Amino acid sequence: PGVIWMDMARKYGRLADPANNKDHRVSGFNPCAEQSLESYECCTLVETYLGRHDSIEDYKRTLKFAYLYAKTVTLLPTHWEETNAIMQRNRRIGTSMSGVADFADNNGMPVLRDWMDEGYKTIQRYDNVYSEWLGIRESIKMTTIKPSGTVSILAGESPGVHWTPGGKFFNRTIRFSNDDPMLPLFRMANYRVEPASESPDTTSVVYFPIKSGSNRSEKDVTIFEKIALAAAAQRYWSDNSVSVTVSFDKDKEKHHVGTVLHMYDGQLKTVS
């Protein structure tokens, strides 16, 4: 189950900033709940990776190109007149960041908050400059945290505001068709290969050993720390929303779920 605070989505951008009511027309969210949307509106997402940068200045340079990509996409018309009208009015984009949990573990929360705050102000400045240059409206909202369960794997980063499932060392499983020419090669290289439990006649599962830059896995982190990281991202970075699925130990933490939702009422827009 998930929770959406529509009043927060309509009244606020980043929660570190005063209420502005820019999004008073919002009627819902995209399926992963990182973007508040009007009916017929597009998400326009782009992703950046905190851990792939040596300094805040290096990250700001990445944000410039990420912002320009997303803003340019809003210039392209769709086949729906209703969508075009809303996109022209709102110019909503979702510049996302991943690797948040790993970055916080490796550098500390104060540094993470600084990068988020500085990064947001950088995008805000670019939006002022380029919207005037392009002769279009400034974006109603510009930043987000997407779940990034798949895309972040390519960069070797923790997904969105989540900790990695396996920590520093773990096996990542990938499914292959039984007639895939790669399967015999995996077996020759002594990778672990098993029939898929739900479709053994057509599919095999290959186990790939992973060494990541993560210090902790999802199971090593409490429900309180997980939701606190999402709230920090909602406060200092995302003016749209933060897509977060807060996992918990059903034996040790189940009774804390209600308390956690009460504690963070007014500090998030969405949570699952």
Side-chain angles (χ1 to χ4, degrees):
V3 179
I4 291 175
W5 289 271
M6 288 297 292
D7 56 334
M8 301 301 295
R10 288 171 175 149
K11 289 179 184 177
Y12 289 92
R14 287 195 315 168
L15 297 191
D17 301 323
N20 56 31
N21 293 301
K22 283 184 178 179
D23 231 357
H24 63 92
R25 297 184 184 91
V26 159
S27 57
F29 281 78
N30 69 323
C32 295
E34 72 264 32
Q35 292 288 87
S36 49
L37 297 170
E38 295 181 40
S39 185
Y40 292 98
E41 194 172 15
C42 296
C43 297
T44 321
L45 300 169
V46 62
E47 190 159 15
T48 63
Y49 301 97
L50 284 170
R52 295 294 161 178
H53 298 85
D54 299 324
S55 65
I56 181 67
E57 295 307 319
D58 186 28
Y59 185 55
K60 286 180 182 178
R61 180 166 170 77
T62 293
L63 288 178
K64 176 180 181 180
F65 297 114
Y67 161 79
L68 282 171
Y69 170 77
K71 192 75 172 187
T72 301
V73 170
T74 71
L75 303 176
L76 303 173
T78 72
H79 298 291
W80 294 82
E81 291 183 10
E82 298 94 336
T83 296
N84 295 338
I86 293 168
M87 294 302 294
Q88 287 172 22
R89 183 180 73 233
N90 290 347
R91 300 287 173 188
R92 186 192 307 275
I93 62 175
T95 311
S96 181
M97 61 167 62
S98 258
V100 179
D102 284 354
F103 188 89
D105 279 352
N106 294 328
N107 298 280
M109 284 299 294
V111 177
L112 174 64
R113 286 193 290 265
D114 286 346
W115 280 46
M116 285 178 165
D117 193 46
E118 282 289 308
Y120 183 81
K121 290 171 182 173
T122 298
I123 290 180
Q124 203 170 39
R125 184 169 67 254
Y126 283 134
D127 195 47
N128 293 338
V129 171
Y130 284 105
S131 295
E132 183 175 352
W133 184 60
L134 291 166
I136 60 176
R137 299 185 74 166
E138 293 180 9
S139 295
I140 188 173
K141 287 179 177 175
M142 301 169 293
T143 52
T144 189
I145 301 274
K146 63 199 277 294
S148 188
T150 303
V151 182
S152 60
I153 294 172
L154 294 173
E157 293 289 330
S158 58
V161 293
H162 305 97
W163 276 262
T164 56
K168 199 166 192 66
F169 301 100
F170 60 96
N171 282 314
R172 185 173 294 285
T173 55
I174 301 178
R175 282 165 161 70
F176 290 85
S177 172
N178 283 345
D179 58 7
D180 194 302
M182 290 297 291
L183 274 181
L185 300 177
F186 291 138
R187 290 192 176 97
M188 288 171 59
N190 287 323
Y191 282 94
R192 178 180 165 192
V193 181
E194 295 179 353
S197 59
E198 79 287 352
S199 52
D201 296 332
T202 59
T203 309
S204 292
V205 178
V206 183
Y207 290 72
F208 294 93
I210 301 292
K211 178 184 177 183
S212 77
S214 303
N215 290 319
R216 295 187 291 169
S217 71
E218 191 177 28
K219 64 180 181 295
D220 299 324
V221 184
T222 69
I223 185 175
F224 294 96
E225 194 172 354
K226 289 169 184 169
I227 201 165
L229 185 65
Q234 186 69 79
R235 181 168 183 80
Y236 294 102
W237 171 254
S238 179
D239 56 12
N240 278 285
S241 184
V242 175
S243 179
V244 60
T245 300
V246 179
S247 59
F248 57 92
D249 187 303
K250 67 178 181 180
D251 297 321
K252 299 176 183 176
E253 295 182 319
K254 182 179 178 179
H255 61 287
H256 290 315
V257 173
T259 303
V260 162
L261 289 174
H262 179 67
M263 284 173 63
Y264 286 89
D265 186 9
Q267 297 185 60
L268 288 168
K269 296 179 182 179
T270 60
V271 66
S272 177

